[in-house]
Amino acid sequence: MTTPLLIKGGLVLAPRVLGIADVLVRDGLIAAVGPDLPVPDGAEVIDASGRIVLPGFVDTHRHMWQGAVRGVLPDTTLSAYLDRVIGRTAPAFRPEDIHAGVLGSALEALDSGVTTVVDWSHVLSTPEQADANVQALHDAGIRAVFGYCHTAGEATRAAESRRLKDACGDGLLRMAVAALGPDFGDLDRAREEWLAARDLGVMITTHMGGHGAEAATAGHAFLDANDLWTPGTMYVHANDYTDEQFKRIADHGGTVAVSPAIETAMDFSLPVTGRSRAAGVPTGLSADAVTSAPGDMFTLMRAAYFTERARPDGAGLGFTVADALHMATAEGARVAGLDGVTGKIEPGLQADLVLLRTDLPGIAPVHDPVAAAVLYADTRAVETVLVGGRTVKRDGELLADVRSALDHLTATAEHIAQATAAN
Ligand SMILES: [Zn+2]
């Protein structure tokens, strides 16, 4: 038994508005939510008056290793990104660089209230690199779905997948198959990826349907021909699906990860936020690549909100700040395969919680708490962060050894810059 924690008198967004309430945390879980809860014997009490209490944000798609190459490629296009970052930068990453990059990304996420990430890792060609990636997620204390994408041969990949699923364990980390799929790999490999996920009983996350209408249609034809539609499959970006194709994804229990900042900065079509949700597809938000856009959820909620409302067909004006907050929390958890685990403030779920200050210029006064969280807050407002009941940020400061993590990140950045120049 750990010491109970009572978060008292905050304005709770669960993510629906509950009003002023207390949140009781016991043994890593949310034990009770409601006004004026009794203080259990020996409990630690956090005075949350004047604070907004939120579920921790869920980032449904991020290449965590790229924390080491933040900002290397602004003002870019997808093809330039693939050439530079995937083609020339990724091969320079040693295991220690992957650890530094993933840890740096995780600390950035936690600092800004993102308590769960789906890490789509396509930098791995050796077991040592994969171990460094998993270890960094463990070391950060973040909740993560480790999306494993391996460039080695089939036999190695199958054995490695099983080993890494065990290495993730069943605590904060889970494993997924990060499939190159028919958009980026050959069809034999794609078939093997889908079958491996079934065999392991893990989620598939794949960049499908964001690279032209022809590829989007070919992807569905691949799933049809091989009888591989799989519930819970996460389609990343998905910009080029038709409304009918989104209905098929919904019918088969699929989900979508939108990356509104990256998709609008690079040469993707408009983010599919509203079209995907209208078809009944659970749709989450994601940072994708901090090489070219910020990684905090406030930026992502705002990017989704403004791009959706600006749709040329005018159909996006029904998209609200509450929709953006739902995508960043409860809906994102569903997309990450963590429905019933995180993403909401309700008894029985993991105590992944964020307290936001509202007594700051640019946030005060709060007339509408959802608008405050979505349109006005930023990382400096994130005062306290809990993951599974464990405090990782308190009084506005991360409890991790940030100095050491940043020193490693600097050393890695220097190595990567030199090695990439030579590639
Ligand atoms: Zn991606």
Side-chain angles (χ1 to χ4, degrees):
M1 288 280 282
T2 53
T3 306
L5 171 68
L6 187 65
I7 300 169
K8 199 151 186 50
L11 205 166
V12 178
L13 307 179
R16 72 192 165 82
V17 182
L18 291 190
I20 302 293
D22 303 342
V23 181
L24 177 65
V25 175
R26 272 189 200 277
D27 298 325
L29 300 176
I30 297 167
V33 185
D36 300 319
L37 296 178
V39 182
D41 284 348
E44 182 190 346
V45 178
I46 294 180
D47 177 6
S49 54
R51 272 63 180 158
I52 294 171
V53 184
L54 290 164
F57 297 126
V58 178
D59 183 331
T60 55
H61 177 76
R62 187 183 301 218
H63 305 290
M64 295 289 277
W65 59 274
Q66 293 179 354
V69 283
R70 174 186 309 286
V72 292
L73 206 57
D75 315 323
T76 193
T77 61
L78 178 61
S79 57
Y81 162 88
L82 291 174
D83 172 61
R84 161 87 181 270
V85 178
I86 305 302
R88 291 190 286 132
T89 302
F93 271 69
R94 306 163 298 181
E96 60 265 42
D97 303 317
I98 293 170
H99 188 280
V102 171
L103 185 60
S105 284
L107 295 183
E108 171 194 16
L110 292 170
D111 197 31
S112 66
V114 174
T115 52
T116 299
V117 290
V118 178
D119 175 12
W120 213 104
S121 187
H122 49 4
V123 70
L124 309 173
S125 53
T126 69
E128 292 73 24
Q129 289 177 317
D131 288 342
N133 196 138
V134 170
Q135 189 62 47
L137 293 170
H138 272 302
D139 292 347
I142 197 166
R143 190 177 304 285
V145 178
F146 169 60
Y148 175 58
C149 178
H150 196 310
T151 55
E154 180 178 348
T156 310
R157 207 154 51 223
E160 272 293 274
S161 298
R162 271 189 293 279
R163 186 182 73 80
L164 289 164
K165 187 186 175 202
D166 291 343
C168 286
D170 53 7
L172 290 181
L173 299 192
R174 295 186 182 194
M175 188 209 166
V177 168
L180 289 181
D183 285 25
F184 284 101
D186 64 50
L187 294 184
D188 283 344
R189 172 172 169 140
R191 254 188 301 275
E192 176 216 317
E193 291 171 329
W194 260 254
L195 293 173
R198 279 191 185 175
D199 190 39
L200 292 165
V202 301
M203 183 176 79
I204 301 163
T205 170
T206 182
H207 295 84
M208 266 178 79
H211 316 98
E214 220 169 277
T217 300
H220 280 194
F222 158 78
L223 296 174
D224 284 332
N226 294 281
D227 196 18
L228 285 176
W229 288 93
T230 306
T233 298
M234 183 203 299
Y235 300 82
V236 176
H237 304 315
N239 307 70
D240 297 302
Y241 289 125
T242 62
D243 292 349
E244 287 65 37
Q245 287 168 327
F246 280 120
K247 288 200 184 79
R248 292 203 73 203
I249 291 172
D251 289 345
H252 289 285
T255 67
V256 162
V258 167
S259 312
I262 283 292
E263 291 165 23
T264 48
M266 297 191 191
D267 56 346
F268 290 79
S269 315
L270 272 180
V272 297
T273 312
R275 291 201 299 119
S276 172
R277 298 180 88 228
V281 181
T283 306
L285 296 175
S286 60
D288 192 9
V290 298
T291 54
S292 313
D296 67 283
M297 189 56 78
F298 303 105
T299 295
L300 303 175
M301 289 192 290
R302 303 209 251 272
Y305 179 79
F306 293 122
T307 53
E308 180 61 22
R309 289 185 63 90
R311 271 170 61 176
D313 62 5
L317 285 171
F319 188 80
T320 65
V321 287
D323 289 326
L325 184 62
H326 195 262
M327 291 176 74
T329 54
E331 201 166 330
R334 218 172 139 190
V335 174
L338 296 173
D339 195 25
V341 176
T342 189
K344 291 183 200 166
I345 300 181
E346 65 185 41
L349 267 66
Q350 292 285 322
D352 297 348
L353 298 168
V354 171
L355 271 64
L356 288 182
R357 287 177 59 177
T358 58
D359 57 340
L360 293 168
I363 303 175
V366 176
H367 290 287
D368 176 331
V370 181
V374 173
L375 297 180
Y376 303 106
D378 53 35
T379 298
R380 83 202 144 109
V382 176
E383 184 177 49
T384 302
V385 180
L386 275 70
V387 180
R390 188 176 149 264
T391 306
V392 295
K393 186 176 184 181
R394 180 185 291 140
D395 298 330
E397 299 289 336
L398 287 172
L399 301 187
D401 186 349
V402 175
R403 187 69 263 158
S404 158
L406 293 180
D407 286 347
H408 284 129
L409 211 49
T410 302
T412 274
E414 283 167 9
H415 161 73
I416 297 297
Q418 281 171 11
T420 303
N423 279 348

